[in-house]
Amino acid sequence: DAMVIQNPRYQVTQFGKPVTLSCSQTLNHNVMYWYQQKSSQAPKLLFHYYDKDFNNEADTPDNFQSRRPNTSFCFLDIRSPGLGDAAMYLCATSRDTGTGGNEQFFGPGTRLTVL
Amino acid sequence: GQNIDQPTEMTATEGAIVQINCTYQTSGFNGLFWYQQHAGEAPTFLSYNVLDGLEEKGRFSSFLSRSKGYSYLLLKELQMKDSASYLCAATDSNYQLIWGAGTKLIIKP
């Protein structure tokens, strides 16, 4: 089945210790997104890629970086996690960004705990 | 600014009908999505409306009024498994999704 896969599902890290979250997709979609979602809040868009064209949201902290080495994979790097970065991180894909193609498909998420 | 408003929480009874409202203000508009999110899980797509009117899909229906900046999700014949958060997201002129914080729906027997 075509899908969006995130690894790991649960990640525990120490304050200040870099961590990388991964996402892969078998949908062959052009667009990949990274969201941060805290409890009872809306998903907050961190980045998105249209193919290899990187788009950083204006209020995404410099502590967050992203890489998309190929169509299928995308990585989220948190260089120095703080306690406030504990959240669910959601990867999503869409075929396109325009009407008719911008339905987003989500992976299961990675829940990050910072000790 | 861009904004989505939806109730924080609603309670309904198994077998009943519930309507979850959403109002939006965006820079341009290119459609509205409803997603379902169970606790600790990722959102899953329910519906997409870009034209005014009602879209029906089984027990779930979604309505859009572009002139009023308003949408609702209607859930019929509620089941316990429908207990979840329901997220409204509007697409702006750049096709970015502006997300609401979600409405937590509690179903009681």
Side-chain angles (χ1 to χ4, degrees), chain A residues 10-24:
Chain A
Y10 300 91
Q11 176 74 57
V12 180
T13 191
Q14 292 180 331
F15 184 94
K17 185 174 181 182
V19 67
T20 295
L21 310 182
S22 73
C23 176
S24 63

Side-chain angles (χ1 to χ4, degrees), chain B residues 9-16 78-80 82-83 105-109:
Chain B
E9 187 174 296
M10 299 181 70
T11 302
T13 304
E14 190 176 16
L78 286 170
Q79 302 174 9
M80 297 303 291
D82 297 331
S83 292
L105 179 62
I106 300 167
I107 310 294
K108 296 186 174 180

Side-chain angles (χ1 to χ4, degrees), chain A residues 37-115:
Chain A
Q37 188 180 28
K38 298 185 178 180
S39 181
S40 301
Q41 295 185 18
K44 178 182 182 300
L45 182 64
L46 297 173
F47 314 97
H48 77 276
Y49 284 88
Y50 191 104
D51 196 12
K52 291 190 175 180
D53 183 22
F54 175 71
N55 296 274
N56 186 23
E57 294 306 298
D59 58 353
T60 299
D62 292 340
N63 196 27
F64 292 86
Q65 304 284 320
S66 183
R67 298 168 281 137
R68 188 179 185 187
N70 54 53
T71 303
S72 301
F73 285 87
C74 198
F75 299 96
L76 174 65
D77 301 307
I78 309 176
R79 293 194 292 186
S80 182
L83 297 178
D85 297 326
M88 175 77 90
Y89 289 87
L90 296 165
C91 174
T93 72
S94 66
R95 182 169 49 82
D96 208 322
T97 55
T99 300
N102 61 335
E103 175 191 338
Q104 293 187 17
F105 296 81
F106 285 83
T110 296
R111 181 163 296 282
L112 178 68
T113 301
V114 181
L115 300 178

Side-chain angles (χ1 to χ4, degrees), chain A residues 35 37 40-43 45 48 57 88 90 97-99 102-104 106-108 111, chain B residues 30 33 35 37 40-45 48 50 87 91 94-97 99-101:
Chain A
Y35 287 93
Q37 188 180 28
S40 301
Q41 295 185 18
L45 182 64
H48 77 276
E57 294 306 298
M88 175 77 90
L90 296 165
T97 55
T99 300
N102 61 335
E103 175 191 338
Q104 293 187 17
F106 285 83
R111 181 163 296 282
Chain B
N30 283 297
F33 290 89
Y35 280 81
Q37 187 175 27
E41 298 183 11
T44 55
F45 170 81
Y48 175 62
V50 66
L87 296 157
T91 313
N94 294 320
Y95 293 95
Q96 297 275 22
L97 284 185
W99 292 85

